Amino acid sequence: QRDVDMMLGARKAQLPREDYLERVVEQNVKLQVDHLANLSIIRRAWERRPETPRLHGWVYDIHSGLIEVVSEPRDGTRAG
C-alpha cells in the first residue's frame, strides 16, 4: 500500500476507493513476481534452464471476468 501511495502522490485523494484498491492489488502482484524472481530455488532453476520457470503477474477482475497482465512474463533470460 505504501508503494501505491508514493506512486499516486496527491492523486490518491482524487481516486475512488475501488480504483485505489485496484492499484494496491496490481502493485502487490508486481511485488510478488519480484519476490519470486529473487528466490534461490527459482534462481537455481534458471541457471539450469533459463526459460523455465516463467513467472507471470496477472490480476483477475471478478466483476468483468477479465484477466489483466500487470507484470510482463519473466524467466532466466530476462530476470531483471
Side-chain angles (χ1 to χ4, degrees), residues 26 29-30 56-60 66-73:
E26 290 168 2
V29 169
K30 291 176 185 179
H56 299 263
W58 297 352
V59 173
Y60 175 71
L66 299 175
I67 295 173
E68 180 183 353
V69 176
V70 295
S71 176
E72 291 300 315

Side-chain angles (χ1 to χ4, degrees), residues 4 13 17 29-30 41 55-56 59 61 65:
V4 174
R17 180 165 172 73
V29 169
K30 291 176 185 179
I41 193 167
L55 306 178
H56 299 263
V59 173
D61 184 331

Side-chain angles (χ1 to χ4, degrees), residues 30-74:
K30 291 176 185 179
L31 289 170
Q32 292 301 318
V33 170
D34 288 344
H35 174 74
L36 287 170
N38 287 300
L39 289 176
S40 60
I41 193 167
I42 299 294
R43 293 288 183 176
R44 285 193 303 272
W46 282 343
E47 288 171 6
R48 289 189 303 275
R49 292 186 60 199
E51 64 280 350
T52 57
R54 191 170 220 195
L55 306 178
H56 299 263
W58 297 352
V59 173
Y60 175 71
D61 184 331
I62 198 163
H63 299 291
S64 69
L66 299 175
I67 295 173
E68 180 183 353
V69 176
V70 295
S71 176
E72 291 300 315
R74 289 171 65 176

